[in-house]
Amino acid sequence: GYGGHAVHVLYRNFVPADVHTVRQHMPFSIGENTSGMVAYNPDDAETLGMIIAQEWTPTSCMVHQLIINPMVLRPKYAFIEKAAAWFFTHAGLLKIYGLVPENNWKARSMNEKFGFTEKCILEDAYAVGVDYILMELKREDCPYWTAMEQEKSA
């Protein structure tokens, strides 16, 4: 747990009311096709983290990750595995993409840990002098997409 208390983590689908939580941590606009997965503590309804998807195509989408309480990334909560299953098994996607400002080293590092690779640089796309990095995660390159999930999608 944290703070000496046991922590429970459950998962649910992203709902429009979650936009308020997201906007407290990052600029965000909800679109007609916005969906995602939310990790929360059912004991106090605290949102711990979420993966938000937009700009869906038949094979891919753009994702945003918001980790509010890093505790959710502990292996026993399987946040990353559940997100991989959500995108690659349940949604049937082949790839997911994320745009990360070049100066956000923490997000870039976390994306690389998840298996994302840099696809291209969009010069000055975030701000003057700050590029966006387009990162891509292919289903077959995702280390958290388990063999069991791979069999389900076959």
Side-chain angles (χ1 to χ4, degrees):
Y2 64 100
H5 298 47
V7 176
H8 301 100
V9 177
L10 294 179
Y11 296 90
R12 63 172 174 77
N13 287 329
F14 180 88
V15 296
D18 290 316
V19 171
H20 176 72
T21 302
V22 176
R23 287 182 179 155
Q24 291 175 339
H25 299 276
M26 62 188 223
F28 182 74
S29 297
I30 190 167
E32 187 176 303
N33 64 357
T34 301
S35 60
M37 180 193 83
V38 177
Y40 70 100
N41 181 343
D43 297 332
D44 60 9
E46 174 191 10
T47 298
L48 305 170
M50 58 181 83
I51 302 285
I52 308 153
Q54 298 181 304
E55 309 306 326
W56 289 82
T57 74
T59 59
S60 69
C61 69
M62 294 293 293
V63 299
H64 309 277
Q65 57 192 3
L66 175 60
I67 306 302
I68 298 168
N69 186 330
M71 177 267 328
V72 77
L73 294 173
R74 291 180 183 166
K76 70 179 181 177
Y77 299 120
F79 179 79
I80 302 168
E81 291 84 351
K82 290 200 182 285
W86 194 84
F87 287 112
F88 298 132
T89 303
H90 305 297
L93 298 180
L94 301 178
K95 304 173 184 181
I96 56 176
Y97 293 96
L99 280 175
V100 182
E102 70 174 334
N103 59 1
N104 189 339
W105 294 103
K106 190 174 182 179
R108 288 174 64 185
S109 176
M110 186 168 11
N111 282 355
E112 287 171 2
K113 180 182 182 221
F114 293 169
F116 281 84
T117 58
E118 292 185 8
K119 189 72 175 166
C120 70
I121 297 171
L122 306 172
E123 294 180 2
D124 294 327
Y126 184 76
V128 174
V130 182
D131 301 338
Y132 254 140
I133 307 294
L134 178 64
M135 301 190 81
E136 175 186 68
L137 177 58
K138 294 179 181 178
R139 179 170 67 182
E140 64 270 16
D141 295 337
C142 180
Y144 298 96
W145 192 49
T146 66
M148 182 178 73
E149 293 297 332
Q150 292 174 25
E151 288 174 17
K152 285 183 191 175
S153 73

